[in-house]
Amino acid sequence: MSKAKKPQKPKFSTPFLPGGLPALSPAALPNDAQACYALGDQWLQANRAGDALRAYDRAIALRPDYVDAYLSRCNALLRLQRPADALANCERTVALAPTLGAAHFNLGVVLEGLGRTEEALQSYRQAVQCEPGMAPAHFHLGYLYLCMNKCTDAVACMNQVLALEPQNAEALVQRGQAYMALKQDEQAFSSFNQALRIKPQLAEARCQVGTLLKKYKRYEEALQQLQAAWAVNPQLPGLLSEMMIVMTSMCAWGSIDDGMARVVQDIARHQPGAKAHNVLALFDDPALQLQIARNAMAASHPTL
C-alpha cells in the first residue's frame, strides 16, 4: 500500500453580516444571559470576535453553566488566535456536558490545531459516540486517519459522512484520495467523478482525476483535467508538478502540440520558483522544439 499524500483540508467560510451593529461597551451588555449570548452570536457573525467574546463572558458570568455560550466562546477564541484559552474553554465545556457531541467535537478541533493528533482522534471518536449523526466529527476523524495513512479507516469515516450528507463533495474527494492510496483506482475515479458532478469547479477533484489519468498514460485527458484545475485554483499544491510530469511524458511519447506547449509555457511564466523554471527550460530543449514542429506539420498535412 502506497503512502497517502496529506489531503488538502477544505476551508469553510464564515457568514458575514454587513454593518449596522452599534459599538459595544461594557455598559451596553444586558443583565440577561440569553440576551448576551444572542448578542455575542451577532458579533461573531459580523467578524467582531473581540466584542463577541465579551458578550459570551458576560453570559457565562450571569449563568456559569451556560453550555451554549461556552461552545460559541470557543469559536471566538480561535478567531482571536488564542488556542490555549480555547483549549481550557473546551475542557470546561466537556466537564459541564460530558454527553454532548458538540463539546467533544470542539475539543477535537482545538487539539487538532495544536498538533495533538491522538487526543484529537479520541475527542472525535467520543463526539460520534455521543451523537452518531454528527457528520463534521466523522469528517474530521476520517481526515486525520487519511493523514496518518490509515486509509481503510478513512474510507469508512467518509462513508459515514456520505450516508448522512450524500452531496458532500469534499468527503467524496477525501474518500477518493484514500482509495488512491489503497491502489483501488476504479473506486477512486468513481469518488472523484461523483464530487465533480456535485461541484464541477472543485479543483482538487480535477487534479486528482488528472493524476489518475496520467498513471494510465492518458496524457491528453490528464492535461485537460489539470488545466481545468489550474483555471480554478492555480495555487493548488502539487498541481504545477503534475502538469510538468504530464507534459514531459507527452514529449517522450511525441504527442505534444504547439497549442499545448503555449498553454503550459504561459502557466509556468506566471509562477515563481524552481519548478516553473524547469518547465520553461524543458521547452528550450531543441529536441522538444523539433518534436513540436513535426507534430504541427503532421497535423497540417496528415497524408505526409
Side-chain angles (χ1 to χ4, degrees), residues 5-6 8 177 201-212 214 219 221-248 263-264 267-268 271-272 275-276 279:
K5 294 181 181 179
K6 185 173 181 179
Q8 297 300 306
Q177 289 181 326
Q201 298 301 309
L202 196 55
E204 189 174 6
R206 293 273 176 208
C207 182
Q208 296 293 351
V209 170
T211 300
L212 279 170
K214 175 196 71 178
Y219 296 125
E221 295 171 83
L223 186 59
Q224 289 173 358
Q225 293 292 335
L226 295 170
Q227 287 178 229
W230 176 274
V232 177
N233 181 11
Q235 303 303 320
L236 186 67
L239 177 55
L240 184 59
S241 294
E242 288 297 314
M243 295 184 76
M244 181 177 173
I245 293 168
V246 169
M247 292 300 293
T248 305
V263 168
V264 177
I267 288 171
Q271 288 295 300
K275 290 178 181 176
V279 173

Side-chain angles (χ1 to χ4, degrees), residues 29 36 52-62 69 73 82 89:
L29 290 170
C36 287
L53 181 61
R54 286 191 286 275
Y56 296 136
D57 285 345
R58 176 65 173 163
I60 290 167
L62 293 167
R73 186 174 185 269
R82 292 168 55 180
N89 178 92

Side-chain angles (χ1 to χ4, degrees), residues 114 117 229:
L114 292 170
T117 303

Side-chain angles (χ1 to χ4, degrees), residues 265 277 279-289:
Q265 284 176 293
H277 288 297
V279 173
L280 292 172
L282 178 68
F283 286 96
D284 289 332
D285 184 348
L288 174 59
Q289 293 174 3

Side-chain angles (χ1 to χ4, degrees), residues 113-140:
L114 292 170
R116 294 163 60 173
T117 303
E118 290 294 339
E119 293 169 273
L121 282 170
Q122 183 57 40
S123 289
Y124 293 139
R125 291 189 191 109
Q126 191 65 42
V128 298
Q129 182 176 336
C130 293
E131 297 184 34
M134 183 178 284
H138 288 289
F139 184 94
H140 278 255

